[in-house]
């Protein structure tokens, strides 16, 4: 336990403690930290990821579940495969644009599910606006960035004070990102051309319990994009980094795909259960460099005692999942990228899936969608491309230090494994509806 930025912070380093507190004592530990700038002044406390644990959070969670449940996500396989085929086609045509193409593709999946808006200038504009909004939101959540987070009474300062103006501008950026695609869906519904989507469904549902409130829909749109796009982007780019550094693991995964999927088609989401080594590569990617290496913090709403510690009300609890990812193992070096550790029942290796998605009632609601997205990106890349290190420089492991930790742009080479594989992509992308 330590003090920082005027707050008491408890870092949890064991999976047992995370489960005992966040899961078994969910009534005490399901709240997020209080953030005056980002949360109260910019309004992010109204988004699913930061809402206080209570009735409003439950409504958001229930609405999100309707589009992200294990049953709901089965509907998206074809759309995900279409988007990834188009991504692969771009990697053949303009391999130098990996970072931008990956960002757009991860964003497209969320925009398609949330708003049903397919590839167009409007879709690109919404994704760019979403990215801008997320940069603003990320800055607002850096601890100690704004004086009002250290001295919350300053929130009553007049509206012309600089941080107040910045908060108002930030709030408008976040809401207008979500307002524009929402208006787009409404226009499409009016014109009878709206594609099935989360918002289309909610806006066409007779309002019986008041849950389809416009303000809620705006924040839900922001939450899904904010939580879903960057995490997927970070995970796939980390995988590419891992493949450059570990060519022999790449070959093993490619061999499995060639044997199971064959050479006459691209992988499908439904191939996942038959690709055990690829699954181990994904687990290892998420263990080696977890996208949320310190999870998402919680706040104790009551005084509590745990394992001899007194945890006063208001304490922030940080699940240090990095400590679990890097726990020592006699056989497998935690620093090394070794998918085999997840296939070896003789070793007591903690499954990253038990912590990578968070804990208890606030566990990631997008997990099932994300599992499919990450799988289909990774399996398709392995099926079609060789990922090679740059010829002219060493690979550096550099990551952003935000809540979502993503690789900083790196050099790479990505080349089709054969003309036949490239042709498969061309043919598949030609029939993609994106
Ligand atoms: C590889 C991709 C992803 C990873 C690793 C990931 C991981 C996480 C983690 C660790 C949390 C914190 C849970 C906690 O507090 O214990 C979280 C929360 C959340 N995730 Fe994800 N996530 C991913 C993708 C997605 C996607 C695709 C969506 C939606 C489209 C999504 C929506 C959310 C939301 C809304 C929350 C906040 C839930 C709440 O506070 O109740 N995530 N995620």
């Amino acid at each position: 336990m330590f003090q920082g930025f005027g707050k008491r912070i408890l870092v949890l380093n064991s999976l047992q403690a995370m489960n005992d507190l966040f899961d078994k004592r969910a009534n005490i530990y399901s709240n997020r930290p209080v953030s005056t700038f980002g949360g109260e002044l910019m309004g992010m406390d109204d988004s699913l990821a930061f809402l206080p644990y209570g009735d409003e959070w439950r409504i958001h969670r229930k609405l999100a579940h309707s589009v992200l449940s294990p049953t709901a996500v089965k509907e998206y396989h074809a759309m995900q495969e279409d988007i990834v085929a188009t991504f692969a086609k771009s990697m053949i045509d303009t391999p130098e644009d990996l970072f931008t193409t990956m960002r757009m593709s991860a964003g497209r999946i969320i925009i398609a599910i949330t708003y049903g808006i397919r590839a167009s200038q409007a879709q690109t504009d919404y994704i760019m606006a979403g990215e801008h909004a997320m940069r603003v939101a990320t800055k607002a959540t850096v601890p100690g960035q704004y004086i009002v987070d250290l001295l919350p009474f300053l929130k009553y300062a007049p509206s012309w004070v600089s941080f107040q103006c910045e908060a108002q501008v930030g709030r408008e950026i976040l809401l207008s990102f979500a307002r524009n695609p929402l208006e787009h869906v409404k226009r499409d519904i009016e014109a009878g051309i709206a594609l099935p989507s989360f918002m289309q469904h909610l806006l066409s549902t007779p309002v019986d319990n008041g849950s389809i409130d416009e303000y809620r829909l705006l924040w839900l749109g922001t939450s899904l994009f904010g939580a879903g796009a960057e995490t997927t982007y970070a995970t796939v780019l980390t995988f590419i980094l891992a493949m450059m550094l570990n060519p022999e693991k790449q070959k093993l995964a490619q061999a499995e795909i060639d044997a199971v999927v064959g050479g006459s088609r691209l992988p499908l989401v439904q191939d996942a259960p038959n690709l055990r080594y690829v699954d181990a590569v994904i687990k290892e990617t998420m263990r080696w460099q977890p996208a949320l290496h310190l999870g998402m913090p919680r706040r104790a709403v009551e005084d509590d005692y745990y394992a001899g510690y007194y945890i006063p009300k208001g304490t922030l609890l940080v699940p240090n999942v990095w400590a679990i990812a890097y726990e020592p193992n006699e056989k497998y070096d935690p620093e090394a990228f070794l998918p085999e550790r997840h296939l070896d029942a003789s070793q007591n290796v903690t499954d990253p899936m038990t912590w990578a998605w968070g804990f208890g009632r606030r566990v990631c609601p997008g997990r099932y969608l994300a599992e499919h997205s990450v799988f289909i990106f990774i399996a398709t890349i392995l099926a079609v491309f060789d990922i090679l290190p740059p010829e002219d420089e060493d690979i550096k492991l550099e990551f952003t230090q935000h809540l979502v930790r993503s690789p900083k742009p790196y050099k790479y080479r990505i080349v089709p494994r054969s003309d036949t594989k490239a042709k498969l992509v061309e043919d598949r992308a030609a029939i993609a509806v994106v």
Side-chain angles (χ1 to χ4, degrees), residues 268-387:
L268 302 169
V269 174
Q270 69 192 40
D271 290 319
N274 304 322
L275 293 165
R276 284 191 68 225
Y277 193 78
V278 173
D279 181 54
V281 167
I282 293 172
K283 284 184 174 172
E284 186 63 347
T285 301
M286 294 178 73
R287 180 204 69 83
W288 181 59
Q289 301 291 341
L292 281 98
H293 65 309
L294 295 173
M296 279 185 79
R298 308 291 182 92
R299 174 170 52 91
V301 292
E302 282 174 26
D303 291 347
D304 193 20
Y305 291 90
Y306 178 72
Y309 281 93
Y310 168 52
I311 306 176
K313 176 178 172 179
T315 302
L316 300 191
L317 293 96
V318 177
N320 177 15
V321 295
W322 186 271
I324 313 169
Y326 280 78
E327 67 198 356
N329 183 283
E330 275 180 18
K331 191 165 165 190
Y332 298 106
D333 173 6
E335 299 289 334
F337 187 91
L338 298 169
E340 289 70 15
R341 75 179 83 229
H342 306 292
L343 298 167
D344 185 347
S346 76
Q347 294 295 305
N348 219 359
V349 175
T350 307
D351 184 344
M353 299 300 120
T354 60
W355 51 260
W357 309 103
F359 306 91
R361 295 183 195 161
R362 291 203 90 131
V363 71
C364 176
R367 169 185 181 160
Y368 307 104
L369 172 74
E371 280 175 352
H372 295 165
S373 296
V374 167
F375 168 78
I376 197 66
F377 271 111
I378 288 181
T380 306
I381 293 171
L382 285 166
V384 179
F385 297 101
D386 279 325
I387 300 163

Side-chain angles (χ1 to χ4, degrees), residues 32 48-49 57 61 227-228 231 235 298 356-359 362 364-366 370:
R32 299 287 183 209
L48 172 49
W57 170 81
R61 199 72 206 187
T231 41
T235 307
R298 308 291 182 92
W357 309 103
F359 306 91
R362 291 203 90 131
C364 176

Side-chain angles (χ1 to χ4, degrees), residues 54-64 211 216 220:
D55 290 343
E56 183 64 19
W57 170 81
R58 264 180 218 101
I59 294 173
H60 283 238
R61 199 72 206 187
K62 203 167 156 216
L63 291 173
S211 66
R216 242 176 222 148
L220 261 169

